[in-house]
Amino acid sequence: MNLKIACIQYDIEFGNPQANFERVSKEIEKTMSQHSPNIIVLPELWTTGYDLTRLNEIADDNGEETKLFIKNLAIQYAVNIIAGSVAKKTPEGVTNTMFVFNKSGEIIGEYSKLHLFQLMDEHLYLQSGSEKGFFTIENIPASGMICYDIRFPEWIRAHTTAGTEILFVVAEWPLPRLEHWRALLISRAIENQCYVVACNRTGSDPNNQFAGHSMVIDPWGSIVAEAGTESEILISEIELGKVQEVRKQIPIFQDRRPSFYK
Ligand SMILES: O=C(O)CCC(=O)C(=O)O
C-alpha cells in the first residue's frame, strides 16, 4: 500500500491564531488542488507559535476551535490531517497537543507532548501529557511525537514495540541544531525500522530562527524527501510494505533482549 503525504512547513505568525488559521486554510486548499495527498501534516504549535507568556489569552479552550476548523477541512477535502500541535487550555493548565483527524472528519488521535523543553521555557508555561501517542490511520498503526520527544529513543521504542509503522513528528526545531534534527530522525527510523514523517516550521520568532527541513525517512534510514529552510509543501510517497521487508531482513524486534536492559 502506498500513501501520499504532504508536510506543510511554513512561517507561523507569532501569537496570532486567526492569521494562522487563515494561512493553513489556504495552504490546505493549495495542497489538495495541486497534489491530492492522503495525509496532510502541520507543524508544532501552529496556531500560536511559542508566544508562551500570552498562552492564557491565546490558547484554545479544550482545543475546540482547532478541532472544528480541522474537522471541517478534513471533510471538505476528504483528507486525513495530522494537525501538528496546538496550545490546548484545560482546567489543569495548557498542554502542547496534537489532534489527528481521518478523512471523514472524525478525531482518531490526541497526544500531548510528554517531554517539555526547558531550553525554550516550556516547563514554565505548559503541562506535560501522560498518555501514549498511538493512533491508526488508513488501517496503519502509527504514533505522534512532538519535537523534543525525538531525543528520547525509549519513548519512541515504547510505541514501535507495540506495532507503530509510521512515526509522525511535528516540530518547531531551531536552526542551530539542524544537524541534531536530521541525525535523530534518521536514527529513530533505522533503529525502529519504521517510516518517520517529520514536519518542522520555517522562519523566526522573537527568540529563535527555525530550521525547516521537514523530512520523510524510510525504514532503512534512506531519505525519501527533505525540504529546505524556506516555506514549502513537501510531498512524498511511502510504501508501507517496506516496513515488514526491513523487519524481516534484520529482525531486531525478535532479537531484542529486554531482560538485560533494566
Ligand atoms: O531538542 C531540541 O533541540 C529542540 C526541541 C524543541 O525545540 C522543542 O521541543 O520545542
Side-chain angles (χ1 to χ4, degrees):
M1 178 190 191
N2 286 14
L3 287 175
K4 196 192 242 194
I5 301 183
C7 293
I8 300 181
Q9 69 163 34
Y10 72 102
D11 185 2
I12 294 164
E13 286 267 346
F14 191 66
N16 190 343
Q18 281 322 310
N20 289 310
F21 281 127
E22 280 162 32
R23 173 79 188 258
V24 163
S25 171
K26 285 193 188 124
E27 293 290 343
I28 290 184
E29 184 188 355
K30 191 161 96 188
T31 304
M32 292 311 297
S33 69
Q34 293 180 355
H35 306 287
S36 283
N38 306 99
I39 302 175
I40 288 177
V41 191
L42 300 176
E44 182 185 16
L45 291 182
W46 60 272
T47 58
T48 56
Y50 263 86
D51 193 356
L52 298 180
T53 57
R54 290 178 58 239
L55 279 189
N56 271 342
E57 258 170 78
I58 58 177
D60 189 2
D61 260 323
N62 199 35
E64 295 304 342
E65 189 178 3
T66 308
K67 286 189 266 186
L68 185 62
F69 173 79
I70 295 293
K71 175 186 166 154
N72 287 338
L73 287 168
I75 294 171
Q76 181 180 350
Y77 295 108
V79 66
N80 300 285
I81 304 179
I82 316 285
S85 73
V86 299
K88 173 187 172 192
K89 205 185 281 182
T90 76
E92 292 76 41
V94 178
T95 55
N96 182 343
T97 300
M98 171 188 285
F99 297 116
V100 182
F101 282 81
N102 68 14
K103 58 190 180 212
S104 310
E106 292 156 342
I107 189 155
I108 54 169
E110 175 167 346
Y111 166 66
S112 294
K113 188 175 188 175
L114 184 72
H115 304 96
L116 299 180
F117 190 49
Q118 299 199 30
L119 196 59
M120 280 160 66
D121 284 346
E122 282 194 326
H123 61 304
L124 302 178
Y125 298 97
L126 294 170
Q127 298 295 316
S128 155
S130 55
E131 303 288 332
K132 290 214 174 65
F134 297 124
F135 54 91
T136 301
I137 191 160
E138 296 286 343
N139 294 319
I140 310 297
S143 295
M145 292 288 144
I146 304 181
C147 208
Y148 188 43
D149 282 334
I150 64 170
R151 289 190 186 271
F152 300 87
E154 57 274 53
W155 180 230
I156 291 171
R157 188 65 120 206
H159 292 74
T160 52
T161 49
T164 286
E165 297 188 8
I166 315 177
L167 202 65
F168 289 94
V169 178
V170 303
E172 292 213 22
W173 195 280
L175 186 61
R177 295 185 297 286
L178 169 60
E179 288 314 316
H180 289 193
W181 164 256
R182 299 183 75 257
L184 288 163
L185 292 172
I186 294 168
S187 305
R188 296 300 81 89
I190 295 172
E191 75 200 357
N192 291 291
Q193 302 177 319
C194 66
Y195 273 100
V196 171
V197 175
C199 184
N200 193 25
R201 67 163 289 181
T202 61
S204 53
D205 71 11
N207 305 307
N208 286 290
Q209 195 178 348
F210 297 96
H213 279 263
S214 295
M215 293 177 84
V216 177
I217 303 153
D218 78 11
W220 191 251
S222 304
I223 297 171
V224 177
E226 179 169 3
T229 47
E230 300 302 317
S231 297
E232 69 175 273
I233 301 165
L234 181 72
I235 300 295
S236 59
E237 189 136 337
I238 67 173
E239 301 169 43
L240 270 309
K242 268 202 180 167
V243 175
Q244 294 317 325
E245 239 172 67
V246 172
R247 290 182 181 180
K248 214 160 142 190
Q249 191 177 348
I250 306 180
I252 60 155
F253 288 96
Q254 287 167 34
D255 292 343
R256 293 176 70 243
R257 307 288 304 278
S259 63
F260 287 90
Y261 304 159
K262 297 201 169 97

